[in-house]
Amino acid sequence: ERISWEVDHSDSVAGPLVISDVRVFGVGARPSHLLLNGERWTTGDWHYDDATREVKMFDLAIPILENFELYWSYNLVLKLPCPLSYGDWSETDPVTEDLCLERNCVWDRSSQVSCSLPPLTDYGFVFHDGLVEKTSDGFLTVLRKLGASLYPDQVETITFQAFLYSDDTVRLKFYHDGERGYEVPLEVRVPVSGAKNPLYEVVLPSKHIPGDTFFFYVVRKDTGTILFDTRIGGLTLTKQFLSISSTLPSKNVYGLGENAHDSFRHDLGGKTWPIFARDQGPLPGVRVSVPG
């Protein structure tokens, strides 16, 4: 679905004006992403309201005298770069087809991401027995690995559990029943009131029979904004490497990790930001982890 804006005349008075916000009514379901002139739009914010079936877009900043088209789609297809940086490979080495396939990733020379992770339907986890068990403060389900391993010691089965601690606090955890993984040995004080009227919803696929692809996303109920969305794929759980990916609901991301950056709000224009502290000082022009 789409909307188009075409300018049939020029007006010098309108020249400095820009289109900032757009509201589209009658959108029957929550889109997965927006496209502006054929490119995925990530520079502004948008929300979907389930109650009014309305898409609200903010901070478009489109000059009013320019033609443009806005599309919204319900199927998110993004290519995640294959994590090559282990073994004897470094970021200064070229990425080759042989190396990509050796890592069990997907090679496409014509794509902007030439070596990418397999898509969600071929890599990640699936429902093991299809059961979603209710717990005293949430739910859990058992998952089974899908696809070839990218790293050694891949965990074959894992439990995903949601802890709904309060109306505004939720904890999502992956753990291996047969072998306890490392956890920071600190006591975390969590709310004990329980979620009576949670402001959020943890959503699983509508069908979860054995072998069905697993993903989840977290929705803010009052606006329909998807806060965390793993439908992008790339979930990797091994004994020494963990990776989970999500699209972002907003460009307003602050304070992520211990790193040097030029502005308070993070620049998300195709950059990778480290999030863990490291015993080294800031380096000019280099995005590295620094002491916490």
Side-chain angles (χ1 to χ4, degrees):
E1 299 181 66
R2 68 181 182 180
I3 57 174
S4 300
W5 175 275
E6 295 185 4
V7 179
D8 59 6
H9 68 279
S10 177
D11 189 334
S12 59
V13 176
L17 300 179
V18 297
I19 298 174
S20 175
D21 301 346
V22 172
R23 300 171 66 181
V24 183
F25 296 89
V27 180
R30 181 184 295 111
S32 62
H33 64 292
L34 301 181
L35 298 174
L36 176 60
N37 295 329
E39 298 290 334
R40 184 166 180 265
W41 179 53
T42 58
T43 57
D45 298 330
W46 67 276
H47 306 299
Y48 177 75
D49 191 322
D50 284 299
T52 61
R53 297 190 173 186
E54 175 187 2
V55 174
K56 305 174 184 178
M57 291 161 271
F58 310 98
D59 300 329
L60 284 165
I62 302 173
I64 200 168
L65 296 180
E66 287 188 7
N67 298 337
F68 70 89
E69 286 189 319
L70 275 171
Y71 301 78
W72 53 96
S73 174
Y74 304 99
N75 297 308
L76 179 60
V77 179
L78 291 176
K79 290 187 175 182
L80 297 175
C82 179
L84 298 169
S85 54
Y86 73 94
D88 56 359
W89 187 87
S90 70
E91 292 186 358
T92 58
D93 296 331
V95 178
T96 64
E97 181 177 2
D98 289 343
L99 175 65
C100 182
L101 298 179
E102 179 185 326
R103 295 289 200 264
N104 293 320
C105 288
V106 178
W107 177 258
D108 182 0
R109 188 188 303 275
S110 63
S111 173
Q112 184 177 3
V113 182
S114 58
C115 185
S116 62
L117 286 172
L120 181 66
T121 53
D122 297 330
Y123 178 80
F125 285 84
V126 297
F127 289 95
H128 180 62
D129 52 18
L131 300 178
V132 178
E133 178 184 341
K134 296 289 185 181
T135 63
S136 60
D137 55 2
F139 63 86
L140 62 83
T141 186
V142 180
L143 310 174
R144 184 177 75 249
K145 183 179 76 70
L146 169 68
S149 299
L150 273 66
Y151 289 88
D153 298 323
Q154 175 76 49
V155 176
E156 294 294 328
T157 58
I158 202 83
T159 297
F160 170 75
Q161 186 165 357
F163 301 86
L164 281 60
Y165 286 136
S166 71
D167 289 347
D168 55 11
T169 305
V170 61
R171 179 189 184 191
L172 305 172
K173 182 178 181 179
F174 294 94
Y175 59 89
H176 186 204
D177 290 331
E179 182 177 344
R180 183 177 177 85
Y182 174 79
E183 296 185 14
V184 178
L186 294 175
E187 180 183 359
V188 179
R189 296 183 179 181
V190 298
V192 295
S193 58
K196 299 178 177 60
N197 295 291
L199 304 176
Y200 55 85
E201 181 182 4
V202 182
V203 181
L204 298 179
S206 56
K207 295 181 180 179
H208 34 75
I209 61 176
D212 273 6
T213 302
F214 167 81
F215 60 79
F216 72 88
Y217 55 91
V218 182
V219 181
R220 180 183 288 128
K221 285 185 175 180
D222 62 344
T223 63
T225 302
I226 299 179
L227 304 175
F228 199 88
D229 189 352
T230 66
R231 288 176 293 182
I232 191 176
L235 179 61
T236 302
L237 302 172
T238 74
K239 293 182 179 179
Q240 292 189 312
F241 181 85
L242 308 174
S243 178
I244 189 169
S245 300
S246 169
T247 53
L248 296 173
S250 170
K251 64 180 180 181
N252 298 317
V253 177
Y254 306 90
L256 178 65
E258 299 291 344
N259 47 66
H261 43 95
D262 298 328
S263 61
F264 184 50
R265 184 172 67 185
H266 276 288
D267 179 2
L268 302 177
K271 293 180 172 59
T272 299
W273 294 99
I275 64 172
F276 295 109
R278 185 177 182 182
D279 188 17
Q280 66 180 2
L283 300 175
V286 181
R287 294 186 299 277
V288 296
S289 300
V290 296

